[in-house]
Amino acid sequence: SRSFALDSTIRDLSASGARIAVSNPDHIPLQFVLIEPENFLAFKSKVEWRRSNLIGLSFNKAISLNGNLDPPHQLLRMHAHAAKREWRI
């Protein structure tokens, strides 16, 4: 599995999926983890559609990034903290 980070804007968010805006949707893999830093959540996501710079996602699983986590999820929490700091500047 490959690791990457890409800035995106969450346009719509629900329990079952999201619509996000990215600068280049062609570089987004079909499955990835979307981090929502405001609430320290991560979503195992699948791309359902692409239109211009918008991507429609369905969620396979929601992961809380709070509390005791295994090492892979600790890394996701680190990314969420970094993204949250950027939002506050």
Side-chain angles (χ1 to χ4, degrees), residues 61-76:
K61 182 178 182 181
I63 303 160
S64 172
L65 300 177
N66 293 308
N68 294 329
L69 300 170
D70 58 11
H73 293 123
Q74 289 174 8
L75 181 61
L76 291 175

Side-chain angles (χ1 to χ4, degrees), residues 10 12-14 16-20 34 49 55-59:
I10 299 173
D12 293 309
L13 180 66
S14 72
S16 62
R19 181 171 53 109
I20 62 171
L34 176 71
W49 54 264
I55 297 177
L57 305 175
S58 62
F59 296 150

Side-chain angles (χ1 to χ4, degrees), residues 35 37 40 65 69 71-85:
I35 297 173
F40 287 97
L65 300 177
L69 300 170
H73 293 123
Q74 289 174 8
L75 181 61
L76 291 175
R77 180 170 48 202
M78 228 171 52
H79 287 298
H81 279 291
K84 195 165 185 172
R85 278 195 306 274

